[in-house]
Amino acid sequence: MAYPTVSAPYGLKPVNLIGGQVFAGSTRNMEIASGYATNIFYGDLVKRVAGGTIEKDVGTTTATPAGIFLGCTFTNGSTGQVQFQQFYPASQSIKSGTTIFAVVADDPDTLFQVAVVSGTTVISGVGITAIGNNATLVQNSGSTTTGNSAVAILDSTGTSGSLPIRIIDVVRDTETTANNFPEVIVKINATMHQYNNATGV
């Protein structure tokens, strides 16, 4: 019997790097514009935009992410206290003269674990033949209670070079039935990651 059971999508979680290199928690602080009006959850994709800040990347069949959001810090505009948050709350007010910084896993070689769905948040799975294929992102809303993302990938995979996610492997520990894997290891396709894409912002 598979363990543990995958009950819901949880975004993209960094696990290691291409070639088996260890993900040692190396990240980059990236600025979020004051008053940005969209929640960004732990495990969401984010992208650079004009002005040098980042926003949530809401792409599905195409995307241009700079990395994965892993929390943020800011000085609360009401209390004056520095806060470390699992997610960025939409339209967060901050103390005048301060900046919101997101923690982003931005190495293009990072591998991530992600859940597979048949649509929205319904957990599904793929077989071994999906390894090497590309996948569509499913942009579910995250939880303001846990701060976690609910982004997943669709179980219908393919070879189109325009799809943003490459399946590198399956997670065998959570296999539900013979050759059905509800979690996979993925990376952002090289031509989609903003560090490898020749088009600027």
Side-chain angles (χ1 to χ4, degrees):
M1 182 174 69
Y3 179 83
T5 300
V6 183
S7 58
Y10 46 78
L12 282 77
K13 293 184 176 181
V15 291
N16 61 0
L17 305 182
I18 284 290
Q21 302 173 76
V22 174
F23 174 73
S26 179
T27 55
R28 185 175 304 279
N29 286 346
M30 299 184 180
E31 185 176 344
I32 300 173
S34 177
Y36 177 59
T38 300
N39 290 326
I40 310 177
F41 296 96
Y42 188 101
D44 278 350
L45 294 92
V46 292
K47 62 181 179 181
R48 289 281 192 186
V49 295
T53 59
I54 61 166
E55 296 180 356
K56 180 177 178 178
D57 191 330
V58 297
T60 55
T61 55
T62 61
T64 55
I68 303 299
F69 178 89
L70 300 178
C72 65
T73 181
F74 54 83
T75 302
N76 189 294
S78 299
T79 65
Q81 299 297 310
V82 176
Q83 292 182 213
F84 296 88
Q85 294 261 150
Q86 181 89 345
F87 78 105
Y88 165 76
S91 305
Q92 175 65 46
S93 67
I94 60 172
K95 183 178 179 181
S96 177
T98 65
T99 302
I100 306 167
F101 283 110
V103 178
V104 180
D106 68 337
D107 188 333
D109 287 338
T110 305
L111 300 183
F112 303 94
Q113 185 170 307
V114 65
V116 180
V117 296
S118 58
T120 62
T121 60
V122 180
I123 295 296
S124 179
V126 294
I128 291 293
T129 56
I131 296 174
N133 278 0
N134 296 328
T136 298
L137 289 160
V138 180
Q139 294 280 359
N140 300 302
S141 297
S143 168
T144 56
T145 301
T146 65
N148 292 332
S149 172
V151 169
I153 65 164
L154 195 61
D155 59 7
S156 176
T157 64
T159 59
S160 171
S162 66
L163 294 173
I165 298 295
R166 171 67 56 88
I167 298 174
I168 303 299
D169 203 352
V170 296
V171 178
R172 298 177 188 274
D173 289 344
T174 51
E175 182 180 20
T176 54
T177 58
N179 198 35
N180 188 75
F181 302 93
E183 294 178 300
V184 292
I185 304 300
V186 302
K187 75 180 294 291
I188 299 168
N189 260 330
T191 55
M192 305 295 171
H193 196 292
Q194 283 186 313
Y195 293 174
N196 295 329
N197 190 325
T199 304
V201 296

